[in-house]
Amino acid sequence: PERFRNMQLQEEFDTYDHDAHLFVKLQFLKKRSKIIEIVAAKDIIFALAHSGLCAAFSRVTNKRLSFLNLSPDEVIRSLFYNKNNDSLITVSVYASDHFSTLKCRTTPIEYIRRDQLDAGFPLFESESLKWPGFVEFDDVNGKVLTYSAQDGPGIMLLIYDRTPSYVPLKILSIEDGKPLKLFKHLLHRGKKIDFIEQFNEKLLVKQEDENLQILDVRSSELIEISIEKFMTPSAFIFLYENNLFLTFRNRTVAVWNFRGELVTSFEDHLLWHQDCSTNNIYITTDQDLIISYCKSDAAADDGTASSIGSINMSDIMTGKCIAKIAANDPALSIAPRKNGSPSIWSSIPEALEDVTALFYDEDRNEIYTGNSQGLVHVWSS
């Protein structure tokens, strides 16, 4: 579509800082490190490096606003933008307790813009989020699920240890935690469970070398999909708007419905990364487009496979690739510098090499990519 036409490389930001030693004390926070997550909100780009250093950049001034690491021994593990109150939640661990406890903090975007990071405040202090505890953010229901290993869980589907012939399951209300249903799902003896996934009232169960089972927990209707047709994926994304789900397997993406029918396979959307981190994939709010870092058609000059990928935008319902940002596109260029702002050091092929994180800002119609060098690139028209 029109919105991806004439995209150019507009800006380059660097999460690495020569002066990092002045404000962090952990040696690994001072090193150049790949970007593992990008989140953007209200003209600010947040880029989290694998080291645990997180930088905020302004798209208004195109300068770095701050690092979000408040204490010198803080290692930020993940980010979540809470659109309900326009704030950024960081999940961190600290050297002072041997990185054993997750601590969550929320900071209004407005305060980050003004570099008043100490205006944020801690969340879930009553929870002991020591390993194997965890915190999950549920964007669809506007809820946060915390699992305190000491107190036991409060999530929607509880999966208990299996017996040889069944697995006990309990479904809870996400609003008040009341049990809605307790049941046993029969298993094939001696076969390991590949996955159990729950999506609204549907339960997907797959055992090794067995058919996929889709169980409606309200009606108890059971559908089976043959192993030839449905092989175990490495990851799922549920599409709440369309009542469909995406599967990722061997770099390929497919769309299924809950009758076990293949809805879409993609014509030009071979993912770059084998392991399918969802930080390299963006699905639009309307769930009509998927934007990913993909294998490029182009081979290197010596005929070997190129180390440079492309950013492909595909229609989720038709599987067609509707646009791409590719190094071999003669129309793709670096935008001219405005009022002497800092230059972009990377070439376009370098900016599309080894991309490790991707985000699409729907409000600004800009794609942000991060790479193994700790650089963030802005693509827009």
Side-chain angles (χ1 to χ4, degrees):
E2 283 299 313
R3 61 178 145 163
F4 298 119
R5 195 154 288 164
N6 306 323
M7 280 220 158
Q8 294 180 304
L9 179 53
Q10 298 280 356
E11 271 312 324
E12 178 175 81
F13 299 119
D14 195 351
T15 56
Y16 174 73
D17 190 326
H18 291 288
D19 297 325
H21 64 276
L22 299 176
F23 57 89
V24 294
K25 71 178 186 196
L26 303 173
Q27 203 55 43
F28 57 82
L29 286 176
K30 304 171 190 176
K31 294 195 167 96
R32 195 171 269 290
S33 171
K34 71 177 180 183
I35 305 296
I36 57 167
E37 190 171 3
I38 298 174
V39 172
K42 303 282 158 72
D43 306 330
I44 300 176
I45 301 170
F46 301 98
L48 175 61
H50 186 256
S51 62
L53 196 65
C54 182
F57 302 97
S58 165
R59 276 299 279 130
V60 178
T61 64
N62 289 319
K63 290 187 168 52
R64 191 178 66 221
L65 290 167
S66 60
F67 287 105
L68 269 61
N69 304 62
L70 275 187
S71 91
D73 72 332
E74 178 180 7
V75 175
I76 298 176
R77 285 268 177 259
S78 63
L79 311 172
F80 178 75
Y81 172 59
N82 183 356
K83 58 181 184 289
N84 297 313
N85 66 357
D86 197 26
S87 64
L88 186 82
I89 298 175
T90 51
V91 181
S92 304
V93 290
Y94 294 82
S96 54
D97 79 341
H98 310 292
F99 311 110
S100 68
T101 308
L102 297 172
K103 303 264 194 207
C104 302
R105 185 176 179 80
T106 181
T107 313
I109 298 290
E110 200 40 58
Y111 287 114
I112 296 172
R113 187 178 280 117
R114 299 201 292 248
D115 196 17
Q116 295 174 324
L117 296 181
D118 49 4
F121 53 89
L123 296 172
F124 323 127
E125 286 185 290
S126 62
E127 300 296 299
S128 171
L129 298 176
K130 274 195 186 323
W131 193 90
F134 59 82
V135 57
E136 283 278 339
F137 297 97
D138 177 353
D139 212 13
V140 176
N141 296 300
K143 298 278 189 287
V144 182
L145 310 172
T146 61
Y147 171 55
S148 170
Q150 291 166 327
D151 303 339
I155 39 182
M156 195 130 179
L157 174 72
L158 304 188
I159 304 169
Y160 295 92
D161 288 341
R162 66 173 284 181
T163 70
S165 56
Y166 67 87
V167 60
L169 300 162
K170 185 192 280 186
I171 293 182
L172 306 178
S173 159
I174 206 159
E175 288 299 331
D176 56 16
K178 288 200 174 89
L180 300 175
K181 185 154 186 169
L182 181 64
F183 60 101
K184 295 171 181 175
H185 186 76
L186 295 178
L187 296 174
H188 299 273
R189 282 174 174 270
K191 296 280 181 83
K192 84 174 179 65
I193 297 174
D194 284 344
F195 63 80
I196 298 179
E197 291 280 342
Q198 176 253 336
F199 169 83
N200 292 344
E201 69 281 1
K202 303 292 188 188
L203 195 68
L204 279 60
V205 182
K206 174 83 175 64
Q207 282 180 264
E208 191 177 32
D209 303 327
E210 295 292 343
N211 293 343
L212 170 68
Q213 297 181 318
I214 301 178
L215 173 71
D216 187 307
V217 295
R218 289 181 197 241
S219 68
S220 300
E221 180 195 10
L222 182 68
I223 295 171
E224 290 213 5
I225 297 100
S226 76
I227 189 164
E228 291 77 29
K229 194 173 157 193
F230 187 96
M231 291 184 219
T232 302
S234 56
F236 288 89
I237 294 179
F238 291 118
L239 303 174
Y240 286 84
E241 296 291 325
N242 310 326
N243 211 33
L244 301 167
F245 62 97
L246 288 171
T247 58
F248 300 89
R249 179 183 161 82
N250 296 342
R251 295 200 168 100
T252 58
V253 190
V255 183
W256 302 79
N257 64 26
F258 287 95
R259 294 184 299 281
E261 297 159 342
L262 181 66
V263 176
T264 313
S265 49
F266 292 86
E267 61 177 22
D268 181 6
H269 210 94
L270 189 66
L271 301 179
W272 180 272
H273 295 280
Q274 187 79 48
D275 65 350
C276 170
S277 156
T278 49
N279 288 343
N280 274 301
I281 294 161
Y282 185 92
I283 290 166
T284 52
T285 311
D286 293 340
Q287 298 185 341
D288 57 342
L289 292 180
I290 179 170
I291 302 172
S292 312
Y293 182 54
C294 292
K295 285 264 185 200
S296 167
D297 306 330
D301 293 337
D302 60 1
T304 57
S306 172
S307 65
I308 298 159
S310 59
I311 299 160
N312 295 21
M313 302 81 163
S314 294
D315 186 302
I316 284 176
M317 298 315 286
T318 67
K320 292 206 177 311
C321 181
I322 54 164
K324 65 165 76 170
I325 296 172
N328 60 0
D329 176 358
L332 184 60
S333 61
I334 296 176
R337 304 288 76 212
K338 296 183 185 109
N339 56 39
S341 64
S343 58
I344 294 172
W345 298 104
S346 303
S347 65
I348 281 178
E350 284 168 343
L352 288 170
E353 190 170 11
D354 211 0
V355 167
T356 52
L358 178 151
F359 186 89
Y360 174 49
D361 187 320
E362 299 184 43
D363 295 331
R364 292 183 63 93
N365 191 36
E366 295 185 330
I367 293 171
Y368 307 131
T369 55
N371 68 11
S372 57
Q373 300 298 305
L375 299 173
V376 175
H377 292 103
V378 175
W379 308 86
S380 70
S381 43

